[in-house]
Amino acid sequence: MSAEIAYSHTPTDGFHTQTSTLQEATEKLIRTHIPPGGTSQVELQKRYHFEFLLRNLRQGFPERYTSQDASQPWLIYWTLHGFSLLGAGLDDLTKKRTIETLLALQHPEGGFAGGPGQAAHLLPTYAAVCAFAIVGRPGPGGGWESIDRQKMYKFFMSLKQPDGSFLVSHHGEVDVRGIYCLLVVATLLNLLTPELLAGVPDFLATCQTYEGGFGNASFPGWAFEADDPESEKPSNASFDPTAPRPPLGEAHGGYTFCATASWVILQSYIEHYYARPDVSSATSLPIRPEINTRGLLRWCTQMQGLPIELGGFRGRTNKLVDGCYSWWVGGCVVLVEALLGVGVLHDSPTEGQGGEEEGPKAWDDVDDSLFDRKALQEYILCAGQHPAGGLRDKPPKPADAYHTLYCAAGLSAAQHRVVPSDARRHAVISAWDPVQARAHDGTGVVSAASDAEREKLDVLRRETCAHVLSWTEEEGTALYVGGSANRVNATHPVFNLTVTHSDAMMAYFYGQSLPSRLPSRPKA
């Protein structure tokens, strides 16, 4: 294949528009960032990116970040997790100051605010808790014990809507990003309950668009009835989950990642609190909602750009590629693969089974990624790096904290295959202590439940935690464009934290002694 064919422009069918003109100009600009000798020697400028993050941390953010005054926990999280991905540790003083800053943002009525004196909000609550996972620890001064989980749970429940969705804040809007942030925090901090999760899967399923991706929300059926003067139902009628709720807005990378990651977290809840359609008549449980997983995969993979775009991802149909979607869409493909069972590490054969391996296990060493990992790395390394440090949307835009993290996280998703492991899941389940998990419950409402309800909740906790703790880097599948010197650390596909940080936080808040991830050494 010639270079000209490999780098051909997006076809326009001879009809130029403002969109196609901008697309062509972007493709030409990106092409100028392809090294003359190819991408085999391209270098990740780790030192420059580290110095970029360090300047923000030590000297403060530039004036243009004043618009992020309500996103202060996000600025902290983006910076700290950026250090984690680059393999840079934090000194004790930085950790102490970060903990003090985060605690100052904890709202007296639960949750975290985006800045001092501001209202609690689900999105900065996620960022604050993730930052605590990075810098915090058990014990006095470690920050974890100062998180008021009971008030946070009450804050979460105060935002819950009749259709299973959540407002992002009091008097705020409904948004699947808020649901994702809530579910991650509830999972990390041992706040999962059936009343918190009730209706969430039903709502998420209504947010999937005809394209396969997800919009930010859906129109609630009761909203239409309230505005319909001819409706025969009383205004206080109970919510009907079967009522049509069209998606609100087009499919978008950020919304799609958040909805998909939420769906992954909810798998155990769906399994135990919903009935399959074929057995629905024999149980009182609601019918299990479904999403079009293959349509979701198709949408995600179609968002990856052409060779002339260096394989970057766009966030919406007919939009330009953008470095941050390396994570929001590239990382989402990893989640969809897990939902489809692609790449899952299956148990080894039991003793006594001879001959060659057969079935799924025989293919565990095959890289069956459903997006072009090499191409995505080329986009980030060639077009996503700013010469002065930090990562960016695309040239000639400046670097910023947001794009630095999500380009780095996308690079991590392209370098490492982090997938669910059956063996790891079974190891977590075998070591699970339900008494300790119940004793460490942070909601303050479980004691009021019946014995049967508590036992069912024990199963929900165990199965949800075993699943999210089972994600493991698959050996032998690492891919480093430009060589292993460009390696960044692996990040958890659901939480976007290193597994070291997420494991430690969950072990503490569930009172568990998790099995080691290190391979056991053979006895001498």
Side-chain angles (χ1 to χ4, degrees):
M1 179 180 291
S2 69
E4 290 301 318
I5 295 176
Y7 293 122
S8 57
H9 289 286
T10 301
T12 63
D13 296 330
F15 186 80
H16 294 281
T17 65
Q18 185 176 358
T19 299
S20 67
T21 301
L22 182 58
Q23 173 70 25
E24 184 175 352
T26 301
E27 291 172 355
K28 289 179 179 178
L29 181 59
I30 291 175
R31 186 175 178 181
T32 65
H33 286 72
I34 302 174
T39 60
S40 61
Q41 301 299 318
V42 67
E43 181 180 353
L44 177 65
Q45 301 293 335
K46 290 185 180 180
R47 178 181 174 183
Y48 291 163
H49 305 325
F50 171 80
E51 291 175 348
F52 172 81
L53 294 171
L54 190 62
R55 282 196 303 271
N56 291 339
L57 185 68
R58 296 298 191 201
Q59 300 176 15
F61 287 86
E63 183 179 359
R64 62 190 177 92
Y65 282 87
T66 54
S67 62
Q68 303 298 310
D69 179 64
S71 301
Q72 294 178 41
W74 283 105
L75 297 175
I76 294 171
Y77 163 66
W78 294 333
T79 302
L80 297 183
H81 191 42
F83 282 133
S84 296
L85 292 175
L86 293 174
L90 299 171
D91 61 275
D92 290 340
L93 180 59
T94 297
K95 292 181 180 179
K96 180 177 181 294
R97 289 177 173 175
T98 302
I99 291 169
E100 291 172 348
T101 300
L102 292 171
L103 288 176
L105 301 178
Q106 186 167 212
H107 196 275
E109 296 182 5
F112 287 82
Q118 298 178 15
H121 193 290
L122 291 179
L123 274 63
T125 296
Y126 162 89
V129 170
C130 287
F132 270 119
I134 298 169
V135 301
R137 55 175 173 78
W144 289 356
E145 296 176 358
S146 299
I147 300 175
D148 194 326
R149 293 187 294 156
Q150 286 197 20
K151 286 186 176 180
M152 184 178 291
Y153 182 78
K154 292 178 180 178
F155 169 62
F156 286 172
M157 289 303 301
S158 72
L159 302 175
K160 193 167 182 63
Q161 300 301 293
D163 61 356
S165 64
F166 291 86
L167 301 176
V168 293
S169 63
H170 292 147
H171 312 295
E173 72 278 10
V174 167
D175 191 320
V176 295
R177 294 174 299 182
I179 291 177
Y180 165 72
C181 291
L182 180 148
L183 291 177
V184 167
V185 171
T187 303
L188 291 172
L189 300 186
N190 194 357
L191 300 176
L192 295 172
T193 67
E195 69 169 352
L196 183 71
L197 304 182
V200 178
D202 305 270
F203 173 77
L204 288 173
T206 68
C207 298
Q208 189 171 24
T209 76
Y210 72 95
E211 289 187 273
F214 286 80
N216 69 314
S218 65
F219 289 99
W222 45 263
F224 290 109
E225 292 175 359
D227 294 333
D228 183 3
E230 299 182 0
S231 175
E232 297 180 357
K233 290 186 177 182
S235 59
N236 61 347
S238 60
F239 174 72
D240 179 8
T242 64
R245 288 181 283 173
L248 180 61
E250 63 184 313
H252 181 280
Y255 300 134
T256 298
F257 175 90
C258 291
T260 305
S262 298
W263 194 259
V264 169
I265 292 173
L266 290 166
Q267 287 305 290
S268 297
Y269 175 74
I270 294 172
E271 177 68 26
H272 294 286
Y273 288 84
Y274 286 87
R276 296 181 183 276
D278 56 339
V279 297
S280 60
S281 59
T283 177
S284 60
L285 296 175
I287 298 176
R288 179 177 303 188
E290 296 180 350
I291 63 171
N292 183 350
T293 313
R294 294 187 178 276
L296 172 59
L297 174 65
R298 181 177 62 249
W299 182 85
C300 287
T301 54
Q302 288 180 343
M303 291 301 104
Q304 188 161 23
L306 298 173
I308 198 170
E309 298 170 287
L310 285 175
F313 277 91
R314 56 181 44 83
R316 289 179 286 167
T317 302
N318 289 332
K319 296 295 183 179
L320 302 176
V321 291
D322 181 334
C324 73
Y325 295 112
S326 304
W327 173 253
W328 296 126
V329 184
C332 189
V333 176
V334 178
L335 300 173
V336 182
E337 289 172 352
L339 291 172
L340 292 170
V342 176
V344 175
L345 297 179
H346 298 281
D347 289 334
S348 299
T350 58
E351 293 185 11
Q353 287 181 328
E356 296 183 0
E357 294 177 352
E358 298 180 355
K361 176 62 181 175
W363 297 92
D364 275 351
D365 60 348
V366 175
D367 182 6
D368 43 12
S369 303
L370 299 179
F371 71 102
D372 193 330
R373 296 167 62 196
K374 179 176 181 290
L376 179 57
Q377 292 184 56
E378 290 173 339
Y379 178 85
I380 297 168
L381 294 171
C382 297
Q385 298 191 86
H386 193 279
L391 294 124
R392 59 188 175 185
D393 167 351
K394 66 177 79 60
K397 294 189 177 182
D400 58 65
Y402 169 86
H403 283 91
T404 296
L405 174 62
Y406 291 113
C407 284
L411 181 61
S412 175
Q415 288 183 349
H416 306 280
R417 285 280 289 158
V418 182
V419 297
S421 164
D422 284 347
R424 175 67 181 172
R425 184 175 67 85
H426 291 152
V428 172
I429 290 175
S430 297
W432 190 259
D433 186 339
V435 176
Q436 285 296 318
R438 189 184 297 179
H440 285 73
D441 166 74
T443 65
V445 301
V446 176
S447 58
S450 67
D451 290 344
E453 290 172 335
R454 283 197 293 268
E455 290 176 3
K456 195 172 183 180
L457 177 56
D458 288 342
V459 173
L460 174 64
R461 278 201 202 96
R462 183 192 68 205
E463 297 295 330
T464 301
C465 291
H467 177 60
V468 298
L469 291 169
S470 74
W471 291 76
T472 304
E473 184 173 0
E474 184 177 3
E475 295 182 6
T477 59
L479 175 65
Y480 305 119
V481 171
S484 59
N486 288 343
R487 180 189 184 277
V488 296
N489 284 330
T491 192
H492 196 296
V494 176
F495 301 136
N496 201 9
L497 291 167
T498 65
V499 292
T500 301
H501 291 141
S502 56
D503 280 10
M505 177 169 259
M506 291 185 69
Y508 172 75
F509 282 107
Y510 288 85
Q512 303 298 309
S513 296
L514 299 179
S516 174
R517 286 184 177 271
L518 299 175
S520 58
R521 295 181 178 180
K523 296 181 179 179

